[in-house]
Amino acid sequence: MKVTVVGAGNVGATCADVLAYREIANEVVLVDIKEGFAEGKALDIWQKSPINLYDTRTVGVTNDYTRTANSDVVVITSGLPRKPGMTRDDLISTNAGIVRSVTENVIKHSPEAIIIVVSNPLDVMTYAAHVTSKLPRTKVMGMAGILDTARYRAFLAEELNVSPKDIQAVLMGGHGDTMVPLPRYTTVGGIPVTELIDAAKLDAIVDRTKNGGGELVKLMGTSAWYAPGSAAAQMVEAIVRDQKRVFPVCIKLEGEYGITGTYLGVPVVLGKNGIEKVIELQLNEDEMALLKASEKAVREVMDVLDNMPANA
């Protein structure tokens, strides 16, 4: 198995490191446009293989996509990170151009690859990659739901003073302020979370989750990387090992939840063929209203991309 990670910045390097450490693929190729950057990161990861005892070979290249040929999975992390005061939507013009160019190069050398997009604004960059790739919707997806759900579960574990391992949750919608956490589908060791925490505290945790990325940008001056990189690696693992994991993943909806043509996070089954099934939950009226609001927000940014001069 061969996995390519495009973008050797913090998120991409973290993803490559987790893939290597967990021996998820035989070879991980790290690609970046900055001369020597990917080579250095890959060499550093390879040099700790005798310490952490793994065999996965990591290789770095500068803008050479021939080295990525025949990759089974490609993770795209390329693009500008958010800075304080910058919304994800501010990134759209520059990052859409980057994601399109990367996707074209990836498909040229690995036409059968499954593509995972991590670049922001996530939902719209998934749209850009999918349209550019011309692949089935099941083979081009966005990583956001796993990250957002992880934040939600981590905050709950902290509040309840329990292991995050025992918390399961579902989260839907766009990546950002309009995401839709679903407390009704959140459990702690099988116990509904609503039986363990009062409504006010739960609402506060949901709000913190919605602004989880912004909180880290304010603290560090840039976007997160440990959790996003690990989340992308978890998706790769589910595909490479055909695990049939149920994860919230960004996909183009084609009638599910009454939505067509918008890229949103929904629960799916992830396996060797990519997205093998989209799971439709029986949302109540309030939950559906939140999902529709999220759809509207994502659709507006998709329209921005569609109306840019390059797309006219």
Side-chain angles (χ1 to χ4, degrees), residues 17-37:
D17 185 36
V18 174
L19 291 171
Y21 179 71
R22 291 178 57 82
E23 295 187 316
I24 291 167
N26 303 95
E27 181 181 18
V28 176
V29 180
L30 199 53
V31 184
D32 204 274
I33 60 170
K34 184 178 178 181
E35 187 71 38
F37 194 56

Side-chain angles (χ1 to χ4, degrees), residues 217-230:
V217 170
K218 287 179 183 177
L219 289 168
M220 301 188 296
T222 189
S223 300
W225 62 86
Y226 293 124
S230 298

Side-chain angles (χ1 to χ4, degrees), residues 288-310:
M288 185 59 78
L290 290 172
L291 186 63
K292 291 291 187 179
S294 192
E295 176 204 6
K296 182 174 182 291
V298 171
R299 187 73 250 179
E300 286 173 355
V301 186
M302 288 175 61
D303 289 343
V304 169
L305 179 59
D306 287 340
N307 292 323
M308 285 180 177

Side-chain angles (χ1 to χ4, degrees), residues 6 26 31 58 63 80 83 87 103 131 137 192 196 215 236 238 252 265 287 304-305:
V6 184
N26 303 95
V31 184
T58 50
N63 226 24
L80 298 178
K83 298 296 183 182
T87 67
T103 303
V131 170
R137 67 167 182 157
L196 301 173
E215 179 181 358
V236 174
K252 179 185 181 183
E287 292 161 347
V304 169
L305 179 59

